[in-house]
Amino acid sequence: GQNIDQPTEMTATEGAIVQINCTYQTSGFNGLFWYQQHAGEAPTFLSYNVLDGLEEKGRFSSFLSRSKGYSYLLLKELQMKDSASYLCAVSGSRRSDKLIFGTGTRLQVFP
Amino acid sequence: NAGVTQTPKFRVLKTGQSMTLLCAQDMNHEYMYWYRQDPGMGLRLIHYSVGEGTTAKGEVPDGYNVSRLKKQNFLLGLESAAPSQTSVYFCASSYTAGSNQPQHFGDGTRLSIL
C-alpha cells in the first residue's frame, strides 16, 4: 500500500528552528517533494530530494533517507509568515509523475 | 506571468446539477492534474493527463470526467453533483522531463454542493 505520515500540527516561536518529519511507505520511489500552503492559497514548491542527504535552500533545508523511508523539512530563523501547512509528497512512478501527498503539517509560529 | 489559472474561483451548485471547471496553463507543460483537497485528507488525485488528447484515472475518479483537447487546457466535469463532492479543487501542471520537475498549482476552485 501507499502511506505517508506527517504530524498534524506543530507550534514554534519566532526566531526558533523547527523540524517537520515525514515517513513514507510507497510501492515505488522516484523522489520526495515538500510544498508550502498558506491558508486559502495554492501549494507552492519548496524542495525536492531524490538522493540521501541534506538539501539546503536559504532558511529551509530538506533531508532524505531512502533506506529508512524518512524525510524532514528544517525551518530556521522562523518568521510569522512561515505559519502555513507543509505538505510532504512522494513521486512513486517516473512514467506519470503522479504524486502521493501526506495530509500536511499545520505550523503555527507565535511571537 | 499567469502560470496555472483556474475558473471559476467559487461556485455553489444544487445536487444533480452539472458543471465544468477549467484549468489553463501557459508554461507549455505536458502533464496536468486535477486534485481535490478536503480537511484531514490532504490532496487526492482525481484524474491526470500526460499529454494532449490523453487522460487517466487517479485515486478518486468516480463522479468526474476530464478532457484535454488542447495542450494548455484541462477540463474537469461533474456530471451530476453530489454533496460529497463539496471540496476545494486544485489543478496542477508539470514538465515531462523527469520527476525533479515540481508541479505548479492554480489558486483553486471552492465548490459547494447543496
Side-chain angles (χ1 to χ4, degrees), chain B residues 7-61:
Chain B
T7 52
K9 295 192 186 311
F10 303 93
R11 187 72 184 267
V12 178
L13 290 178
K14 293 182 180 178
T15 297
Q17 286 185 315
S18 62
M19 78 160 296
T20 301
L21 280 65
L22 173 63
C23 176
Q25 53 93 6
D26 62 2
M27 297 174 282
N28 201 34
H29 284 170
E30 287 291 338
Y31 289 1
M32 296 187 75
Y33 313 82
W34 276 107
Y35 294 92
R36 58 179 290 173
Q37 187 174 41
D38 302 292
M41 303 202 67
L43 284 159
R44 292 183 292 168
L45 184 65
I46 304 171
H47 287 281
Y48 65 99
S49 167
V50 300
E52 181 179 318
T54 74
T55 62
K57 293 180 180 179
E59 182 186 353
V60 288

Side-chain angles (χ1 to χ4, degrees), chain A residues 35 45 96-97, chain B residues 1-5 23-33 48-54 68-74 91-98 100-106:
Chain A
Y35 285 83
F45 169 72
S96 69
D97 267 358
Chain B
N1 199 19
V4 180
T5 303
C23 176
Q25 53 93 6
D26 62 2
M27 297 174 282
N28 201 34
H29 284 170
E30 287 291 338
Y31 289 1
M32 296 187 75
Y33 313 82
Y48 65 99
S49 167
V50 300
E52 181 179 318
T54 74
R68 183 99 182 267
L69 298 179
K70 292 183 179 180
K71 184 177 183 178
Q72 63 268 31
N73 296 337
F74 196 29
C91 175
S93 70
S94 65
Y95 284 116
T96 60
N100 61 338
Q101 298 295 328
Q103 293 183 15
H104 298 260
F105 286 81

Side-chain angles (χ1 to χ4, degrees), chain A residues 32-46:
Chain A
L32 186 144
F33 293 83
W34 283 96
Y35 285 83
Q36 181 189 58
Q37 186 178 23
H38 286 101
E41 297 183 9
T44 56
F45 169 72
L46 284 178

